[in-house]
Amino acid sequence: VTTEERILADIEQNSEAWENLLVLADDIGMRVAGSLGEIQARDFLLETFHRYGLDEVRLEPFEHMAWEPRKERLVIASEGEREIACRCSALSQSTPSEGVEGELVFLERCDAEELEVRFAEVKGRIIVAPYSPFARQLKTPLAARYDAMALLEYRNYAGQLQPARTCAFQSYGDLPVASISFEDAEYLKRLQQRRGSVRLRLNLDSHVERKESWNIVGELTGTEKPNEYLMIGGHYDSWHVGPGAIDNASGVVAVLEAARALAAQRQQLKRTARFVCFGVEESGLVGAWAYTRDHADELDDTLLMVNN
Ligand SMILES: [Zn+2]
């Protein structure tokens, strides 16, 4: 029986992946960076690394801008204050407490080329543009540069919620940004065609404060080359809109399961296997960047990174 066959048989018979997923997604649920769920997940992962017998189990702290949407409200002012569901984008600017009100303008991409042509329509207005294809974190500074009042992104496909996203990586957004569903964008398009102009009012309280987060690290020390590393990682934070079962509890339980199964075969590991559950991925890969800073002198000796 080869080592690989032993590992596969162990996983088939003894996998804890499903139970770990239930803890992260059902019991803890939402794990947005800066929340109580994030701390509960951190403690669970730390304890699980200990329970699986990893070496050097530790928290590696770093700072980040923890973001919390405290108010998210969008109304069609010109339709009797009719409300439309919206989601504040991570690290968005807040509006003044009374909100910002302006006429909407639909753009196809909200990229530099289009804004250059349509700058006169954009100034002082609320841009409504699709979530893709134009890179999400680039729309925000461009819309701000052309003096838009706010930016609303809509889902490109029917049957899904308002997309959650970060409007500016590792900095504050340059203007208020929120997202709406595909269906509500279609409704706004119909209204604009029938009424000629549509006025929206957006009210966002996007609270940001510096907080500490953590990468959770554990290892199986190599028997021959302990200073060479093979890494397996995944991020454990989620968005605020749900339990993040797929994104990324599923990836984290794969990291845990690899740790559990490889720990049973640790005498076979010539190099050090390092397992990392990264914090604060969603608002800009903050934990991953912190890792590369903290481990700069080991990167040349890191031969492989499997990201789940
Ligand atoms: Zn993710």
Side-chain angles (χ1 to χ4, degrees), residues 36-146:
L36 179 62
E38 180 201 32
I39 291 173
Q40 291 171 331
R42 174 201 72 185
D43 293 346
F44 169 70
L45 296 169
L46 194 67
E47 183 219 295
T48 306
F49 274 177
H50 277 301
R51 189 159 59 82
Y52 289 166
L54 301 190
D55 310 322
E56 310 285 333
V57 174
R58 61 198 185 263
L59 297 179
E60 297 188 349
F62 58 89
E63 284 213 332
H64 69 110
M65 289 190 289
W67 163 83
E68 183 192 354
R70 293 185 173 173
K71 184 164 197 179
E72 310 170 293
R73 185 172 154 85
L74 174 66
V75 300
I76 310 175
S78 53
E79 294 292 313
E81 303 283 301
R82 181 164 180 170
E83 186 162 354
I84 286 187
C86 79
R87 289 288 187 181
C88 182
S89 293
L91 301 177
S92 167
Q93 236 180 42
S94 294
T95 64
S97 58
E98 69 276 15
V100 290
E101 185 175 323
E103 198 177 316
L104 71 76
V105 54
F106 272 94
L107 295 185
E108 279 173 31
R109 293 176 309 280
C110 195
D111 61 7
E113 206 180 323
E114 187 178 26
L115 285 163
E116 192 57 47
V117 174
R118 299 186 61 185
F119 67 95
E121 297 168 76
V122 163
K123 190 173 173 171
R125 296 209 178 135
I126 296 177
I127 294 176
V128 187
Y131 181 69
S132 63
F134 186 56
R136 53 192 192 169
Q137 70 274 25
L138 299 179
K139 282 193 204 102
T140 309
L142 273 173
R145 195 184 307 160
Y146 285 88

Side-chain angles (χ1 to χ4, degrees), residues 136 235-239 246-249 281-282 285 308:
R136 53 192 192 169
H235 77 85
Y236 66 95
D237 62 313
S238 77
W239 279 108
I246 292 173
D247 182 7
N248 186 33
E281 186 266 357
E282 301 293 5
L285 306 170
N308 294 275

Side-chain angles (χ1 to χ4, degrees), residues 13 19 21 30 39 46 83 166 177 222-223 230 239-240 256:
Q13 288 157 27
E19 287 71 23
L21 184 64
M30 188 276 276
I39 291 173
L46 194 67
E83 186 162 354
T166 305
V177 185
T223 54
L230 306 172
W239 279 108
H240 58 305
L256 296 180

